[in-house]
Amino acid sequence: VGVHPNRKIGPAMDFGCRESAEATVFRVGRRPDGHFRLFALEGKVLDKPKQFCGTSIVVQTHSSAKDIVCKSVKDGWEPHFVVAYGAIFKELEALADMLDLELRTY
């Protein structure tokens, strides 16, 4: 645990993450009208050194990274995403269905 690299306050974890053949990137966010929604994409975690201070991970996505960034910014997604080891898209799909949430895939 160290000092947060940007704000210099509060603790921050500082480590790289292991590689994995399957990973799911997701986020719980809000639409402009305030309703919750889910973001999901699948890929794999690459064996790369830490990219910056703090917890770092490199995910190779099935789609173009540039397209994902452009589309997610245009769609208004907030920053910071969770990376789960394993392919959990079906579980996220079931969660979205149970909670009546929009599921956006990239």
Side-chain angles (χ1 to χ4, degrees):
V1 176
V3 176
H4 193 282
N6 297 336
R7 296 187 231 24
K8 308 297 184 216
I9 57 172
M13 302 305 288
D14 191 23
F15 59 90
C17 297
R18 66 176 169 80
E19 67 181 308
S20 176
E22 293 182 326
T24 305
V25 178
F26 73 97
R27 175 172 178 84
V28 177
R30 288 187 182 255
R31 298 188 320 216
D33 66 6
H35 287 91
F36 286 105
R37 62 185 178 166
L38 298 178
F39 172 107
L41 67 83
E42 292 184 321
K44 65 181 179 179
V45 179
L46 302 180
D47 183 16
K48 296 280 187 179
K50 269 183 13 135
Q51 304 290 302
F52 52 86
C53 293
T55 304
S56 176
I57 196 166
V58 177
V59 176
Q60 181 179 5
T61 58
H62 299 307
S63 302
S64 156
K66 181 180 177 183
D67 291 345
I68 293 166
V69 170
C70 289
K71 187 174 180 185
S72 64
V73 169
K74 286 180 182 178
D75 289 345
W77 287 97
E78 304 90 335
H80 301 302
F81 295 81
V82 173
V83 178
Y85 286 101
I88 63 166
F89 179 80
K90 288 181 182 178
E91 290 83 350
L92 291 174
E93 194 172 43
L95 178 65
D97 186 53
M98 286 188 303
L99 299 175
D100 194 27
L101 300 176
E102 173 188 11
L103 175 61
R104 300 295 302 266
T105 58
Y106 291 82

